[in-house]
Amino acid sequence: MRLARTLTPGDRIDTPYFEVPFEVKGVRSLEVLLEYDRSRAVIDLGCQGPAGWRGWSGGAKERFVIASTAASTGYCPGDIEDGEWKIILGLHHVPADGTAIVLTINTPAVGSVVPEPVAPRPAGPRSASARRSLPAGAGLTWFAGDCHAHSLHSDGTLSIRQLAARAAEEELDFLAVTDHNTVSHHRELAPAGAEYGVTLLPGQEVTTGRGHANAYGRLGWVDFRCHPDTWLDQVEDEGGFLSINHPVAGDCSWQWSLGRKPTHVEIMHSTWLRDRTDTSIWSWWNAWGTDIIPLGGGDFHRPEDGYPPGLPTTWVAAEDPGEEGIFSALKAGPTALSMGTDSPLLLRVEGELLAVDAEGAVLMDFEGRRSVIRGSHQRLADANRGPYRLETPERKILAISP
């Protein structure tokens, strides 16, 4: 099947998702190729079968293959059911005069699944929790991680094994892999994490033109085409938790209204590295309400961006660094956020707020009161005036505690 047509801004008035249905019968594979001028438009690519969602690659791929035993990254392998399939085109950016597309669907597939790149051998580095001794409650340890990262299963450039190796190199205890609008990566996380000695948490970045949210947990696929109220209901019903991502971040800022608010928000994001004196997220937090559990996300996509996984770092006190232990601790909170695993910290330990390795830094509470940290491990009074942040004397953010 070959479809050639011009998509215009009018095609996205009712919905930004343009559906192309096609019939399948008696095959074990299919292949889709999308051609258009990428210098003028951004068209996302996804696929739905008769039995449900099969994958999404956004604007990162122009071709995918789905077969019974293998699939391109971002797509789920399995039986190619007879019946109506749909190619879903996300019309993210369409110029005023339109953009010509050519969509080719081969049943069965003509090409094969592209093999993933080779990952390095496990090096066995120490974890952040083993490298840094931090005060914690009885039976607990502070573990360091990153709650937001991408792989080849969406618009990242590393395979799951390469991503695990990179997280281990950065001496993280955990990394949430949150590829866009797909759960195809979930099946690879546990074995790759075990191989490299880092816990890879399953997640999905539910991605729309009006904002993004991370759904954490071993969940079914969350339909990004529905209202976010349905995301929250589904995620909580399935035992996970939802977090608003980078709510102040250019054209990816959060714009949705909600019937009720999720429990978590990505308060510290790698975009802060461009200007660590920016207080826009502090202003947003004040307007949204401070009764949330803050998370930190590096939003890692590719090494050449210059921001490794773990920048910023999310710390959580858990009984063990396994998937269930880290997930439960993140879900319940509290968390602590810092600009890296070696950065000064604000930790809540058995009802007390402690500044760790922060001598000379400035502590500011949510009402703007400031004080200078005088010791390497300082207990802080008035611990109920949070959220708190640590800054350099030049007002550059160092750490956050709820």
Side-chain angles (χ1 to χ4, degrees), residues 140-187:
L140 301 175
T141 300
W142 285 98
F143 295 106
D146 189 328
C147 293
H148 191 166
H150 297 277
S151 76
L152 280 170
H153 284 264
S154 60
D155 55 351
T157 61
L158 301 186
S159 69
I160 296 296
R161 292 182 71 249
Q162 287 177 314
L163 192 58
R166 190 62 191 268
E169 288 173 6
E170 299 300 327
E171 300 185 320
L172 298 180
D173 299 296
F174 67 92
L175 179 71
V177 186
T178 55
D179 280 309
H180 297 282
N181 296 338
T182 187
V183 293
S184 62
H185 56 293
H186 285 192
R187 65 186 185 277

Side-chain angles (χ1 to χ4, degrees), residues 10 41 82 119 161 163 218 238 251 273 275 284 340 344 363:
D82 291 347
R161 292 182 71 249
L163 192 58
R218 292 212 167 268
E238 295 182 18
D251 68 351
L273 299 173
D275 180 6
W284 184 91
L363 175 75

Side-chain angles (χ1 to χ4, degrees), residues 12 27 61 136 253 401:
R12 69 185 312 275
V27 300
K61 288 184 174 68
S253 297
S401 175

Side-chain angles (χ1 to χ4, degrees), residues 55-102:
W56 181 259
S57 48
K61 288 184 174 68
E62 57 189 20
R63 170 188 178 271
F64 68 82
V65 173
I66 302 176
S68 55
T69 58
S72 301
T73 50
Y75 296 84
C76 296
D79 293 340
I80 307 300
E81 312 97 22
D82 291 347
E84 184 180 78
W85 287 65
K86 293 178 181 178
I87 300 305
I88 311 298
L89 301 179
L91 309 187
H92 185 70
H93 172 66
V94 179
D97 58 347
T99 185
I101 68 162
V102 176

Side-chain angles (χ1 to χ4, degrees), residues 218-301:
R218 292 212 167 268
L219 312 170
W221 174 73
V222 180
D223 194 339
F224 59 95
R225 297 167 296 178
C226 298
H227 191 279
D229 284 340
T230 68
W231 311 348
L232 183 56
D233 290 341
Q234 177 188 340
V235 169
E236 291 183 350
D237 287 346
E238 295 182 18
F241 63 92
L242 190 77
S243 175
I244 303 298
N245 281 357
H246 42 64
V248 182
D251 68 351
C252 294
S253 297
W254 186 258
Q255 302 173 57
W256 291 100
S257 61
L258 296 172
R260 60 189 179 95
K261 296 177 180 178
T263 52
H264 295 63
V265 173
E266 187 181 68
I267 290 295
M268 190 178 277
H269 185 257
S270 55
T271 49
W272 272 27
L273 299 173
R274 302 168 192 161
D275 180 6
R276 288 169 56 190
T277 65
D278 185 359
T279 58
S280 58
I281 188 64
W282 208 252
S283 174
W284 184 91
W285 199 357
N286 182 50
W288 178 266
T290 59
D291 188 21
I292 53 96
I293 297 171
L295 299 180
D299 205 355
F300 177 84
H301 283 77

Side-chain angles (χ1 to χ4, degrees), residues 7 14 16 45 68 100 115 127 138 155 159 219 228 277 300 322 325 344 366 372 392:
L7 296 172
D14 294 329
L45 183 60
S68 55
S127 68
D155 55 351
S159 69
L219 312 170
T277 65
F300 177 84
F366 210 68
V372 177
T392 68

Side-chain angles (χ1 to χ4, degrees), residues 10 23 30 35 38 47 53 76 109 119 174-175 189 241-243 263 289 328 341 371 373 387:
E23 289 293 323
L30 60 86
E35 302 171 68
R38 290 172 175 262
C47 183
W53 192 252
C76 296
F174 67 92
L175 179 71
L189 299 180
F241 63 92
L242 190 77
S243 175
T263 52
S328 297
T341 56
S371 59
I373 304 301

